[in-house]
Amino acid sequence: MTRSPILTLSNISKRFASQEVLSDFNLTIQDGEFFTILGPSGCGKTTVLRLIAGFEQPNEGQILLNGDDIARIPAEKRPFNTVFQSYALFPHLTVFDNVAFGLKMAGVDVQDIAVRVADALAIVRLSEFATRKPHQLSGGQKQRVAIARAVVNRPKILLLDESLSALDYKLRQQMQLELKQLQRQLGITFVYVTHDQEEALSMSDRILVMHNGQAQQVGTPREIYESPRNLFVAQFIGEINVFDGEIVQALGEYQYEASINGVVREIRCDHRFAVGDKVHVMLRPEDLRIDCRPDVAERKGFPGIVLERSYTGQTLNSHIELENGQTLMAHEFFDEDDPDFDYSINQKVGVDWVPGWEHVIPAERSGKA
Amino acid sequence: MVINFRRFVIVLTVVWLGLFVLVPHVLVLLTSVMSPDPQHLAVWPLTLNSWGRLLEPLYAEVFWHSLWLSTLTTAICLLLGYPFAYIVAKLPGVWRGLLLFLMIVPFWTNSLIRTYAIKLILGNKGLVNSLLLASGLVDEPVQLLYTPFAVIFGLVYVLLPFMVLPLVSSFGKLDGTLLEAAHDLGAGFWQRFRLIIVPLTMPGIIAGSLMVFLPAMGMFYVADLLGGAKNLLLGNIIKNQFLVVRDWPFGAAFSVALIGIMAVLLWLYFLANRRINRAGGLDDESF
């Protein structure tokens, strides 16, 4: 599906007192996509959202909505609505009046308000709660009212600020699914801010990973997870094992031999390297293979011992210490043919991976992982 | 041991309240139905004459005038106190503390003395008139003292903190995200003010208004010093009946009537507050 940009943040700087939160920040959001801004707390992601919403003004730069600069337009005049982390439902108004608030402000006539509020409440399955007050609702219901209150105005962009973080795990998963469905159903652009990488991966069309006010990488969940551009992204999104290596020989375009922990292996990557370049060879825990054959001679991969193993239901997660002291994580699915599949602590094993499953980036630091 | 101590505290409180609150009130109530006597203050037989006199036009007029002064005082305190409380509540902690402290400092001086000071300021040869004359705006002193203005000025000055403190507490509890949400949903400043800020600070508005209105009806010394003979408060009438006319039963009847008005207002406050709390799901701790 081809999409056109709906919102562009261009060369945005934002300072609070003397602290620079964003500098020369750029971002383009496509019409109709579920876009997630992901990062640890304090990375500036909420500031980006507040700049879009109009609660903050940038010190420099433009915010372009379909080409028009809206950086100086006040929040109440922007065609965006926000779902707040704390929901921010008006405690003195009923569910109906909360949802109707934006329409009343826009001067929609009473009959239309009734119809549209009823529709919005039906979408979030709260029709029979219209006369309740917010304090009579559960967390998940408040969340839905907050969503209904925002989407009823048919915003061009819906902004969601860590909107699921106050819910418990089960409800959060359910709401993730509902949000995604809602987004598809309404066709509205969603900009979702979160620090939860699992949430980001499962809901988004594209993800922006932020750190220290800098965009680290923009891409689809798959690109972000499988081809992280730097160590921060790799380590922030899920778990990853990082081997330090050095390019020994070029075998062809994007194909090299690298020395990893003293062993020379063939690697494939999407960078060009010169011989002698230091690299990070990264592997997700589920991409590692553990060879536990008793015969040392037959065993493949890097030798190590099992430090710890934990059973998670779906997978067996092992911590393995290599001979050089580096600790790896490996997640293996259970094999139905082998119900007793397990390791013992201190068992000697070999750690390997299928050639080509590694992801290689230029080294950012020296020394062991 | 613990139980004994608790019982001791309860008994002490009950005795104290009984001795110093219940008994005096019963005595006042009793006095109000006795017959007046200049020599012995109040004598038998029991009669409702004093209560009947409350309805005399003269007193009704004074009553309404007093009510009007108190209402106006309350309105002005609210008008001044509301924005002030908003600003104070939004300030960072240190400044908030300092401003509230400065607001309370004048309380360390007796309000009677402060009222005398106002009298000096508003008098014909006082500060205000001196400035007006010196600036050439007026040719002769403006009569400020002994006007309703002077009484209201004095009452507002003394009672403003009682309006501000509950309002600051209400504003402190107002969640700023709600205003952002309203902003986000298209509400301009006045709409946010009318639809969100006022309803959510209503408990503070009602509490502050009562804490100004109730004392404003009784502060006889302010009206005595600043209001002259015509601007009486209910408190002045009561004081005069007891100390000047020496008609204790009538003064007592007036007192009981005033207590009755206050009780009704407090009861209405209680009802309104309960309704707001139920409606808003706001917590109830500060009231």
Side-chain angles (χ1 to χ4, degrees):
Chain A
M1 182 160 47
T2 54
R3 284 172 165 153
S4 55
I6 181 166
L7 190 80
T8 306
L9 273 64
S10 144
N11 307 105
I12 294 284
S13 297
K14 179 64 189 171
R15 290 179 291 275
F16 291 111
S18 61
Q19 202 197 351
E20 185 144 72
V21 179
L22 298 172
S23 67
D24 203 19
F25 182 84
N26 292 286
L27 172 66
T28 301
I29 293 165
Q30 308 290 334
D31 195 7
E33 74 176 336
F34 195 125
F35 189 87
T36 297
I37 304 174
L38 173 67
S41 56
C43 72
K45 58 188 190 295
T46 298
T47 304
V48 174
L49 199 77
R50 293 173 62 82
L51 283 167
I52 298 175
F55 300 139
E56 309 284 354
Q57 268 66 49
N59 295 100
E60 284 140 45
Q62 291 180 307
I63 300 174
L64 301 170
L65 173 67
N66 292 323
D68 302 320
D69 191 0
I70 57 164
R72 305 287 155 209
I73 293 180
E76 69 261 30
K77 300 230 169 78
R78 296 190 189 188
F80 310 147
N81 286 112
T82 307
V83 179
F84 292 86
Q85 181 172 13
S86 58
Y87 317 133
L89 300 180
F90 305 126
H92 58 302
L93 300 179
T94 61
V95 167
F96 182 95
D97 287 329
N98 262 283
V99 177
F101 194 90
L103 299 176
K104 279 181 187 157
M105 293 304 106
V108 176
D109 76 52
V110 183
Q111 314 243 304
D112 285 354
I113 289 179
V115 173
R116 282 171 66 176
V117 171
D119 284 350
L121 286 177
I123 288 173
V124 295
R125 304 198 314 273
L126 282 176
S127 300
E128 63 273 43
F129 292 87
T131 56
R132 298 251 188 124
K133 290 278 172 67
H135 74 280
Q136 297 169 304
L137 302 175
S138 70
Q141 290 165 339
K142 284 182 195 167
Q143 173 68 72
R144 292 209 189 93
V145 174
I147 292 168
R149 185 176 70 173
V151 300
V152 75
N153 306 295
R154 296 175 194 150
K156 286 209 169 73
I157 299 177
L158 186 70
L159 307 167
L160 300 104
D161 183 12
E162 308 240 7
S163 302
L164 303 184
S165 60
L167 302 177
D168 64 52
Y169 181 74
K170 257 257 156 32
L171 200 53
R172 198 158 68 222
Q173 294 216 311
Q174 187 194 334
M175 286 303 299
Q176 284 175 16
L177 212 64
E178 286 186 23
L179 265 186
K180 186 74 195 146
Q181 285 169 350
L182 185 68
Q183 194 260 341
R184 252 187 239 123
Q185 185 185 343
L186 298 170
I188 297 175
T189 308
F190 276 34
V191 178
Y192 187 89
V193 160
T194 184
H195 62 267
D196 183 329
Q197 39 103 2
E198 185 193 317
E199 222 165 78
L201 292 174
S202 65
M203 291 195 290
S204 322
D205 292 318
R206 286 196 309 147
I207 298 172
L208 162 71
V209 183
M210 280 186 77
H211 183 48
N212 289 337
Q214 302 286 322
Q216 302 291 317
Q217 186 170 1
V218 185
T220 62
R222 212 189 173 104
E223 284 164 2
I224 299 275
Y225 188 77
E226 294 184 357
S227 314
R229 210 166 66 191
N230 57 34
L231 262 188
F232 174 80
V233 175
Q235 288 173 335
F236 189 71
I237 312 287
E239 292 174 294
I240 201 154
N241 299 298
V242 181
F243 294 94
D244 293 316
E246 188 181 325
I247 301 292
V248 176
Q249 187 189 342
L251 297 176
E253 209 176 12
Y254 305 122
Q255 224 173 336
Y256 301 91
E257 267 185 358
S259 152
I260 303 164
N261 292 355
V263 179
V264 173
R265 287 192 60 126
E266 201 180 307
I267 55 166
R268 269 170 244 173
C269 54
D270 46 13
H271 276 82
R272 285 171 196 280
F273 294 107
V275 171
D277 281 356
K278 304 264 191 234
V279 292
H280 292 313
V281 177
M282 303 193 284
L283 284 140
R284 295 286 176 191
E286 63 272 20
D287 292 337
L288 290 181
R289 293 288 171 266
I290 296 176
D291 191 339
C292 57
R293 280 175 290 192
D295 185 352
V296 182
E298 277 183 32
R299 232 184 269 153
K300 285 199 287 188
F302 299 98
I305 57 167
V306 177
L307 275 188
E308 191 56 77
R309 28 80 53 206
S310 55
Y311 170 81
T312 67
Q314 284 179 324
T315 58
L316 182 69
N317 298 353
S318 320
H319 289 243
I320 293 159
E321 189 178 79
L322 299 185
E323 284 173 341
N324 68 357
Q326 183 181 359
T327 306
L328 303 178
M329 264 170 308
H331 299 172
E332 292 171 288
F333 278 95
F334 287 101
D335 183 353
E336 284 181 12
D337 298 333
D338 184 5
D340 298 328
F341 164 63
D342 202 348
Y343 303 113
S344 53
I345 308 265
N346 287 331
Q347 185 177 349
K348 287 196 160 69
V349 293
V351 182
D352 201 5
W353 63 85
V354 178
W357 285 15
E358 70 278 356
H359 176 65
V360 184
I361 59 168
E364 293 171 24
R365 54 165 170 77
S366 53
K368 289 181 208 154
Chain B
M1 192 59 201
V2 173
I3 291 174
N4 282 344
F5 178 71
R6 197 165 69 185
R7 187 171 295 162
F8 169 74
V9 171
I10 291 172
V11 167
L12 191 71
T13 312
V14 168
V15 168
W16 200 91
L17 284 175
L19 220 53
F20 297 112
V21 179
L22 185 65
V23 171
H25 277 82
V26 169
L27 284 178
V28 172
L29 188 64
L30 182 66
T31 310
S32 76
V33 290
M34 289 171 79
S35 306
D37 181 283
Q39 287 295 302
H40 302 95
L41 303 177
V43 293
W44 309 107
L46 296 182
T47 168
L48 283 174
N49 272 353
S50 301
W51 283 92
R53 284 181 62 204
L54 284 178
L55 302 172
E56 286 174 14
L58 173 67
Y59 294 110
E61 195 182 317
V62 174
F63 173 80
W64 287 117
H65 188 66
S66 168
L67 215 59
W68 162 242
L69 289 175
S70 306
T71 308
L72 216 57
T73 300
T74 308
I76 293 170
C77 280
L78 184 60
L79 232 53
L80 293 174
Y82 201 72
F84 181 76
Y86 178 79
I87 293 165
V88 168
K90 292 298 143 207
L91 285 173
V94 182
W95 285 101
R96 187 169 60 233
L98 184 69
L99 278 178
L100 288 177
F101 173 73
L102 288 176
M103 179 126 217
I104 290 167
V105 165
F107 275 71
W108 295 348
T109 308
N110 189 302
S111 62
L112 191 59
I113 295 169
R114 285 183 287 143
T115 308
Y116 267 109
I118 293 178
K119 187 172 173 164
L120 292 178
I121 292 170
L122 297 181
N124 282 357
K125 290 179 179 165
L127 184 68
V128 176
N129 271 315
S130 304
L131 284 173
L132 285 176
L133 288 169
S135 69
L137 283 171
V138 293
D139 296 330
E140 51 190 72
V142 182
Q143 184 63 43
L144 296 172
L145 212 52
Y146 311 127
T147 61
F149 163 79
V151 176
I152 290 171
F153 186 93
L155 287 174
V156 167
Y157 172 71
V158 174
L159 294 171
L160 186 60
F162 294 100
M163 177 64 85
V164 170
L165 293 176
L167 281 175
V168 168
S169 154
S170 256
F171 275 118
K173 279 193 276 175
L174 183 64
D175 179 3
T177 337
L178 294 177
L179 296 179
E180 277 190 351
H183 205 162
D184 185 70
L185 291 165
F189 175 78
W190 285 110
Q191 286 164 321
R192 294 202 291 279
F193 180 76
R194 191 166 55 85
L195 299 171
I196 310 295
I197 297 178
V198 169
L200 290 178
T201 52
M202 196 47 88
I205 295 175
I206 297 176
S209 299
L210 276 181
M211 287 176 73
V212 170
F213 186 78
L214 298 184
M217 288 193 296
M219 289 202 145
F220 60 87
Y221 58 88
V222 174
D224 262 357
L225 292 174
L226 305 174
K230 282 187 179 164
N231 296 293
L232 298 174
L233 298 174
L234 290 186
N236 295 87
I237 300 171
I238 295 169
K239 192 204 84 176
N240 288 342
Q241 293 308 319
F242 277 101
L243 300 182
V244 181
V245 187
R246 296 176 77 80
D247 185 345
W248 279 34
F250 187 49
F254 236 112
S255 297
V256 175
L258 182 57
I259 293 169
I261 293 169
M262 291 183 176
V264 168
L265 286 174
L266 283 172
W267 180 66
L268 288 177
Y269 165 66
F270 174 74
L271 286 187
N273 213 26
R274 206 174 54 174
R275 211 176 71 96
I276 287 167
N277 282 326
R278 208 191 288 139
L282 303 170
D283 55 340
D284 200 16
E285 63 206 315
S286 71
F287 308 111

